[in-house]
Amino acid sequence: MKIAFFVSLFVLSAVRADDAAFRPLFDGKTFAGWKTNDRTAKSWKVEEGMLVLSGGNGNLISEEEFEDFELKLEWRAKKKGYNSGLFLRGNNQINLAEKSCGSLMAAPKTKGVPELMKAPGEWNLWEVTCIGNKITFKVNGKEAWNVEGFKPTKGTVGLQAEGQPIDFRNIQIRTIKK
């Protein structure tokens, strides 16, 4: 019994240590760390610790650039027919459109994995790992795909506004040292 307790304690502390390496890209209160413009206010709001996409076409792009990293974020569509995207290292997008959700739209392109997404109103967890020219994409804890040959190897991350209501929260990044 004591051994099981210590093993559980060790696993829990390891998980906490790993999570501690992540830092928020969104503070839950402001647009700090994101480039904004006159279209931002028409597309985005900060409410109840979330970035709320209400519509419009004002994308949110990080002020900082990243090379090798692991990114986590949660999102939920408010209704069917949703459309948005996650930008990696510039304008390279993982599609967040209902019918082709999860497809990498930049070379090397991948197929969507809409079957891994939860229904509108439920939270989805996306995890993206970019190391050099390799990307691994997980949806709700399941590996969806991994590819090699992705370019560039450094750039911003961002969220696309495509006119559909979607909530985002817990946007975190961990830089991977070479």
Side-chain angles (χ1 to χ4, degrees):
M1 180 106 97
K2 286 183 181 180
I3 293 172
F5 171 75
F6 287 116
V7 169
S8 296
L9 190 59
F10 174 75
V11 170
L12 184 59
S13 65
V15 169
R16 286 185 182 151
D18 184 49
D19 285 347
F22 281 85
R23 64 180 171 90
L25 271 183
F26 169 57
D27 65 12
K29 300 174 189 168
T30 68
F31 290 111
W34 298 91
K35 296 175 188 174
T36 59
N37 58 38
D38 59 337
R39 292 184 293 176
T40 305
K42 296 175 185 173
S43 303
W44 298 91
K45 294 182 220 161
V46 176
E47 292 179 350
E48 300 176 11
M50 298 180 292
L51 282 172
V52 177
L53 174 57
S54 56
N57 60 1
N59 299 335
L60 284 179
I61 306 298
S62 66
E63 291 177 348
E64 190 175 346
E65 290 190 346
F66 303 95
E67 275 185 79
D68 295 343
F69 62 89
E70 187 175 357
L71 176 73
K72 294 180 183 182
L73 66 85
E74 293 177 279
W75 65 271
R76 71 173 171 199
K78 297 206 177 165
K79 61 183 181 178
K80 287 186 173 273
Y82 56 86
N83 193 2
S84 183
L86 171 65
F87 295 116
L88 303 173
R89 295 180 179 159
N91 289 327
N92 304 294
Q93 184 185 147
I94 296 178
N95 199 358
L96 207 160
E98 185 174 20
K99 292 186 180 183
S100 60
C101 202
S103 64
L104 180 61
M105 298 176 71
K109 295 183 179 189
T110 66
K111 291 184 178 182
V113 288
E115 67 278 4
L116 297 179
M117 307 307 155
K118 295 181 182 177
E122 296 182 54
W123 287 101
N124 290 279
L125 172 64
W126 278 13
E127 299 170 89
V128 180
T129 304
C130 294
I131 300 175
N133 71 352
K134 298 177 185 176
I135 297 179
T136 301
F137 178 56
K138 292 182 182 178
V139 177
N140 298 318
K142 296 179 184 169
E143 185 172 310
W145 48 258
N146 62 62
V147 296
E148 291 188 40
F150 183 76
K151 295 179 183 179
T153 56
K154 183 177 182 179
T156 56
V157 298
L159 299 171
Q160 182 185 40
E162 277 286 333
Q164 301 296 320
I166 299 177
D167 298 331
F168 295 89
R169 69 179 184 190
N170 298 326
I171 305 167
Q172 305 174 53
I173 197 159
R174 177 176 70 91
T175 301
I176 299 171
K177 304 285 187 218
K178 291 182 181 182

